Amino acid sequence: MVDFGRVVTAMVTPFQADGSVNYAVAEQLAAHLVAQGSDALVVCGTTGESPTLSWDEEYQLFQVVIKAVAGKALVIAGTGSNSTQEAIAATQKAAKIGVHGSLQVVPYYNKPPQAGLFKHFQAIAQACPDLPMVLYNIPGRTGQNLLPQTVARLSAIDNIVGIKEATGSLDQASEISRMTPPEFKIYSGDDSLTLPLLAIGGYGVISVASHLVGKQLQQMIQVFAAGQVQTATQIHLQLLPLFKSLFLSTNPIPVKAALRLQGWDVGSTRLPLEDDQNGLAQKLKPVLAELNLIQV
């Protein structure tokens, strides 16, 4: 089964001044992220503002990013939905476009019981048996927690290969690690918890910060895997202020502000997200300058 690597960037979606998707910048950014240490890219996830993208925009982004990475990295499509049938249709279409995997978020708003969650993910996996699937558990956005027992049942399905764990609970991640087979990959959904998660059986991170520090994240994970725990800890502590700064407001508002400070024409966010252009930039500047990510 495919290995998506250790550092996966949850890529932002650039917009033009009129609010339309800026596919040219998306292509440039995707290539840049791969050059800066990303093993794979999640396109149209939370950081990509999937709730306000149309399916047609998403399908075009998948095509643009696949072309941009040119076989140098894998592309994971955010094709989840709170409608099982809609998720199946979107995932099947993404598979035909040529993505390498799908990210399937816990259905939001309808708050399914655990039995419903199992059947939801099972149905998508069975409808796209040749496409690897990564589960995505983020209760702060979905209103429902995918429990470790349910994850364990799902991990027995051949093409469900991992989970993005964004509960913020190391206890929950530990339970998932204990209850799933070694080949089932646990990815941190929080940059600041990547290193602690590695210590309890995690594999990598689906990251926001890797837009800016992909190489450093890759180094942190690799040296930890090589047993150099102290060096990994030093990298983690050096990056911690950045991890925290990128969540001063709702993601992806801060990371888009940081990218603009670096000169990337990623545009603003779509409503109902709203940029705090001036105040946020002023808070980010010293953090970025400290890591030599911008010149001041």
Side-chain angles (χ1 to χ4, degrees):
M1 189 55 73
V2 67
D3 182 350
F4 293 117
R6 302 279 196 164
V7 176
V8 180
T9 298
M11 187 176 139
V12 303
T13 298
F15 295 121
Q16 303 194 59
D18 64 1
S20 60
V21 175
N22 193 329
Y23 295 103
V25 173
E27 186 174 2
Q28 295 163 11
L29 181 62
H32 170 78
L33 292 172
V34 174
Q36 293 298 310
S38 293
D39 299 308
L41 304 176
V42 169
V43 183
C44 305
T46 302
T47 311
E49 297 179 68
S50 58
T52 52
L53 294 172
S54 71
W55 285 114
D56 285 342
E57 288 172 329
E58 295 200 17
Y59 300 139
Q60 189 165 345
L61 278 165
F62 300 152
Q63 294 176 62
V64 165
V65 174
I66 290 169
K67 179 183 175 185
V69 303
K72 296 176 183 176
L74 301 181
V75 176
I76 304 170
T79 51
S81 172
N82 62 346
S83 160
T84 305
Q85 290 305 313
E86 188 174 63
I88 288 172
T91 305
Q92 288 175 329
K93 184 156 184 175
K96 289 178 181 176
I97 289 170
V99 301
H100 306 98
S102 75
L103 184 72
Q104 297 291 336
V105 70
V106 167
Y108 36 89
Y109 187 73
N110 32 17
K111 292 186 73 173
Q114 296 300 307
L117 292 175
F118 176 82
K119 289 183 178 179
H120 170 81
F121 293 120
Q122 179 189 48
I124 302 166
Q126 289 176 343
C128 303
D130 297 324
L131 190 69
M133 179 197 299
V134 178
L135 307 169
Y136 180 16
N137 189 29
I138 182 162
R141 286 183 182 261
T142 66
Q144 184 62 294
N145 187 14
L146 183 65
L147 296 179
Q149 295 84 348
T150 309
V151 176
R153 290 181 66 200
L154 289 164
S155 72
I157 298 172
D158 286 345
N159 58 322
I160 298 183
V161 300
I163 185 169
K164 178 181 179 182
E165 239 300 298
T167 60
S169 169
L170 291 174
D171 280 355
Q172 175 149 328
S174 296
E175 283 295 313
I176 293 170
S177 182
R178 184 178 69 85
M179 299 171 72
T180 56
E183 61 271 18
F184 186 79
K185 303 293 195 296
I186 303 172
Y187 288 93
S188 177
D190 302 283
D191 282 300
S192 63
L193 292 182
T194 302
L195 184 59
L197 198 75
L198 294 176
I200 54 173
Y203 186 70
V205 59
I206 298 180
S207 173
V208 175
S210 54
H211 282 89
L212 308 163
V213 289
K215 287 183 177 178
Q216 294 94 316
L217 283 169
Q218 191 70 253
Q219 182 189 12
M220 181 184 77
I221 294 171
Q222 297 298 338
V223 297
F224 180 87
Q228 300 172 35
V229 177
Q230 189 170 0
T231 303
T233 301
Q234 289 171 347
I235 297 170
H236 165 79
L237 294 176
Q238 182 184 35
L239 298 179
L240 187 62
L242 176 66
F243 296 156
K244 294 301 185 183
S245 295
L246 292 178
F247 287 86
L248 286 170
S249 183
T250 302
N251 179 45
I253 295 170
V255 70
K256 276 194 156 181
L259 287 166
R260 288 194 300 270
L261 287 170
Q262 285 193 320
W264 283 98
D265 186 19
V266 293
S268 60
T269 52
R270 277 183 176 173
L271 287 173
L273 297 183
E274 171 67 6
D275 293 344
D276 173 15
Q277 298 272 4
N278 296 320
L280 191 56
Q282 292 307 312
K283 293 174 184 175
L284 287 169
K285 280 180 181 177
V287 179
L288 298 176
E290 180 70 23
L291 292 171
N292 296 313
L293 297 172
I294 61 169
Q295 300 298 319
V296 293

